[in-house]
Amino acid sequence: MNGSNDVLRHQASAGAMLGLIRSGQARSRAEIARVTGLSPTTVAQRVDVLIDAGYVREAGMGVSQGGRRPRALEVDPSTGVVCAVDLGSQHATFGLLDLSGRLIATHRERIDIAEGVEPILTWMVGVADALVAEHAEPGQRLRGYGIGVPGPVDSRTGTLVSPSRMPGWNGVDVAAAVSDLTGLPTVVDNDANLMALGEHGLDRSVADLVFVKVGSSIGCGVIASGSLHHGHHGMAGDISHVTVPDAPPVLCSCGRTGCLDAVAGGRAIVRALRDAGVQVESVDDVLALARDAHPLATRMLREAGTRVGRVLATIMNFFNPQRLVLGGILGEAEAFVAGVRSAIYLECLPMITDELDIVVSQAKEHAGILGAGGLVLDRIFDVHELEPAR
């Protein structure tokens, strides 16, 4: 029994060292010893475990700290890949990432999420297998799935909760369903949460961040103290059903009127333009009109931005983040962004806006798959779940 406990402690320590290497906190055995306070001999033994298991490799010589140059360590990308999927109501974006987190291939297709759970997930797994066959190197086997969905996910149970844009998916545990299909570890979260993670991964110096996805509909993800904030059971950041003061009484999918999603999302703008006699079919059409300085399209984009900004102003005052990131297709529209900025600067306290960065997403359409990929890699590299990668 004592021998088994010793093995578990040894593996856990190796896993912790892997976390230091993945995060860049330590890039050599000597740096690991300095960070952990362990002896060089102990560190060397446990790094050898990671190398033998296929998680870590030596990558040339590191920087000398006054003595012999150390051998640099990095995650070994040659033993596996993960598939990240950002499922939308009408589109699915796929990303294939190696174990170091490098995005090596992307793919996008139109879908109809209302086709149902089994057809969509079976199709998704088929696309993932095709991506692996086409883009993975010899020896890189598929290790897991990270999936974003356009609906609330209960963080305690993993099940979808009343997803208004996913008819037939309520109560479904997507992660369990995909694991049953593939036998692989699978993680699932709300799409806006994963976009927040993907954006945060590009600049981890920002500890407190709010990411707002504004496309056909509206979602929000919150990074607090460097980690994704789910709230009590996963609903943190769901601003789509906040009632907008003085908004028109438009009926929302939740059954109420005046919700932010119903009066400021992309579908709402398309509907309003159609009601005004403008021929548009999609949000892309709205943006094309705005780029051509169409006065009504530009005005409606700015009004939508102002409504979103007024809701966000309350969040900024309450949470005091360092950065607000505007993502999704409307985040690319100058009039919309201007409306958000003007509302926030008008309604927030000066001490809130003085050091607040309001920026457009750097990750853009890849934010969701980068976040999903990072999340499934975290699962695969979990200290308690390490298994040989080879």
Side-chain angles (χ1 to χ4, degrees):
M1 186 69 175
N2 288 338
S4 297
N5 288 339
D6 289 341
V7 170
L8 288 172
R9 284 195 294 270
H10 179 81
Q11 290 175 333
S13 295
M17 291 179 190
L18 176 58
L20 293 174
I21 295 167
R22 287 186 67 212
S23 67
Q25 292 176 265
R27 298 188 182 278
S28 68
R29 293 170 177 83
E31 288 183 2
I32 293 174
R34 281 195 296 274
V35 170
T36 62
L38 295 171
S39 72
T41 300
T42 299
V43 170
Q45 290 172 345
R46 295 176 185 175
V47 167
D48 286 345
V49 169
L50 293 172
I51 292 174
D52 291 343
Y55 285 107
V56 171
R57 68 182 181 185
E58 293 180 334
M61 305 304 291
V63 178
S64 172
Q65 299 295 326
R68 188 172 60 185
R69 293 175 65 195
R71 291 187 177 275
L73 300 171
E74 66 179 13
V75 172
D76 187 349
S78 67
T79 58
V81 293
V82 296
C83 184
V85 189
D86 186 2
L87 286 178
S89 57
Q90 297 179 323
H91 293 89
T93 303
F94 292 76
L96 204 64
L97 299 89
D98 65 26
L99 294 189
S100 72
R102 183 176 67 92
L103 186 62
I104 57 179
T106 61
H107 179 74
R108 183 174 171 88
E109 283 195 32
R110 288 189 63 85
I111 64 169
D112 180 2
I113 200 77
E115 287 183 13
V117 177
E118 185 175 350
I120 290 295
L121 295 185
T122 302
W123 165 82
M124 183 192 75
V125 169
V127 173
D129 288 341
L131 283 174
V132 173
E134 182 176 357
H135 297 285
E137 298 292 333
Q140 286 183 321
R141 63 184 176 91
L142 183 59
R143 301 291 309 283
Y145 287 85
I147 303 169
V149 293
V153 177
D154 190 321
S155 57
R156 302 165 302 178
T157 64
T159 57
L160 281 156
V161 181
S162 301
S164 59
R165 294 186 296 279
M166 302 176 71
W169 292 70
N170 184 46
V172 174
D173 186 338
V174 174
V178 175
S179 290
D180 287 345
L181 278 173
T182 64
L184 295 175
T186 304
V187 292
V188 174
D189 208 331
N190 171 260
D191 54 2
N193 283 344
L194 295 182
M195 290 176 182
L197 281 176
E199 194 70 29
H200 181 246
L202 300 180
D203 185 1
R204 295 189 183 276
S205 68
V206 177
D208 299 295
L209 174 150
V210 172
F211 184 100
V212 183
K213 170 210 167 190
V214 192
S216 296
S217 57
I218 298 172
C220 181
V222 179
I223 303 292
S225 300
S227 299
L228 182 64
H229 178 64
H230 281 105
H232 175 53
H233 56 90
M235 304 302 121
D238 189 354
I239 63 172
S240 57
H241 299 293
V242 173
T243 301
V244 179
D246 303 322
V250 179
L251 183 65
C252 180
S253 60
C254 71
R256 301 188 303 163
T257 59
C259 293
L260 183 64
D261 202 45
V263 299
R267 287 192 185 92
I269 299 172
V270 169
R271 183 180 60 248
L273 282 170
R274 285 177 178 170
D275 290 345
V278 180
Q279 298 300 310
V280 289
E281 298 297 327
S282 66
V283 181
D284 287 325
D285 294 340
V286 177
L287 297 188
L289 288 175
R291 284 191 293 270
D292 285 339
H294 188 284
L296 186 56
T298 302
R299 192 191 82 195
M300 288 189 173
L301 283 168
R302 187 177 180 95
E303 286 178 353
T306 300
R307 286 170 175 157
V308 172
R310 292 179 68 186
V311 171
L312 291 175
T314 299
I315 295 171
M316 298 301 103
N317 281 328
F318 174 79
F319 181 50
N320 185 28
Q322 181 180 346
R323 182 170 295 168
L324 169 63
V325 183
L326 304 177
I329 189 169
L330 293 187
E332 303 293 321
E334 292 182 5
F336 179 86
V337 174
V340 172
R341 286 180 180 274
S342 64
I344 287 177
Y345 282 114
L346 178 65
E347 301 197 16
C348 284
L349 297 170
M351 67 182 71
I352 296 295
T353 57
D354 279 349
E355 296 186 9
L356 173 65
D357 294 330
I358 304 176
V359 300
V360 174
S361 171
Q362 297 180 56
K364 298 187 184 301
E365 71 274 11
H366 291 159
I369 55 175
L370 291 176
L375 196 64
V376 69
L377 287 172
D378 287 344
R379 168 66 62 85
I380 291 170
F381 289 138
D382 187 281
V383 168
H384 303 292
E385 298 188 19
L386 286 182
E387 60 181 37
R390 297 190 191 283

